[in-house]
Amino acid sequence: MAGLLGAIEISSKGLSVQRAKMNTTAENIANAETTQTPEGGPYRRKQVVVKEDDTGVSFRHMMQRAGVDLDRTNTRHLPAQGVRLRSEVEVPDVKMKEVEAPKSAYKLIHDPSHPDADEQGYVRMPDIEVVNEMVDMMAAARAYEANTVAISTAKQMAKDSLDI
């Protein structure tokens, strides 16, 4: 059962990551033509950077360090004496960070009629390609869907194993 719970835990972390990616991509698309932000200058494209969080300690790891094991409660449950059940999967934490493009990341568009145009008629626009953002959104949506299917499958496997 620990393997199934580990699979659900991994997929739930994947859901959180993909949701953050979809939200950031949606924000980029919504601000693709924003030339002035409260910080000044054009909107800067954002990306979600994901890596393993080596500083975080999972609950399972803390329990193992505390020396708390799941022991057999009845000798008829498992055939061998002294069997201890431990978690088979150690799921690391995930650290997500939203990263903005550098301030120099913009494109110049010649539009003298634009209210934010400079003396030469150029407007600094965000360096956002909507087509690329849509591809990122579709990839995140597919990964999100795959994680939900993995959770549903693990739940169904757990349910089926209880029916045996």
Side-chain angles (χ1 to χ4, degrees):
M1 189 64 100
L4 293 175
L5 295 177
I8 291 172
E9 188 175 356
I10 289 168
S11 293
S12 68
K13 289 178 183 183
L15 288 174
S16 297
V17 168
Q18 299 309 323
R19 186 186 69 236
K21 285 184 175 186
M22 286 190 284
N23 289 341
T24 302
T25 303
E27 183 180 339
N28 288 340
I29 292 170
N31 289 294
E33 296 188 13
T34 302
T35 57
Q36 290 296 322
T37 60
E39 297 82 30
Y43 175 83
R44 296 188 299 166
R45 181 177 187 266
K46 296 178 182 173
Q47 287 183 302
V48 175
V49 177
V50 182
K51 69 177 191 174
E52 180 181 350
D53 184 8
D54 49 4
T55 60
V57 179
S58 70
F59 176 76
R60 194 173 288 136
H61 185 67
M62 289 175 60
M63 291 299 283
Q64 286 176 345
R65 276 198 298 182
V68 178
D69 293 329
L70 177 62
D71 288 328
R72 184 174 48 160
T73 57
N74 187 322
T75 56
R76 291 180 295 178
H77 286 173
L78 297 171
Q81 289 285 1
V83 173
R84 291 180 169 221
L85 300 176
R86 288 190 169 228
S87 168
E88 299 168 9
V89 178
E90 181 66 31
V91 180
D93 251 351
V94 175
K95 190 175 1 180
M96 292 181 283
K97 186 169 76 170
E98 200 172 76
V99 179
E100 286 186 348
K103 288 189 179 197
S104 61
Y106 58 86
K107 53 187 172 187
L108 288 175
I109 305 292
H110 189 262
D111 185 4
S113 64
H114 195 281
D116 293 325
D118 62 10
E119 307 81 45
Q120 288 84 26
Y122 288 100
V123 181
R124 292 188 311 160
M125 298 292 284
D127 191 18
I128 296 174
E129 295 294 331
V130 177
V131 173
N132 292 342
E133 296 297 323
M134 288 304 298
V135 169
D136 290 347
M137 179 73 81
M138 288 177 10
R142 297 280 189 226
Y144 191 91
E145 181 182 356
N147 281 307
T148 58
V149 168
I151 290 173
S152 296
T153 302
K155 285 173 36 181
Q156 186 63 41
M157 289 172 66
K159 181 178 175 263
D160 290 347
S161 67
L162 292 173
D163 290 340
I164 294 177

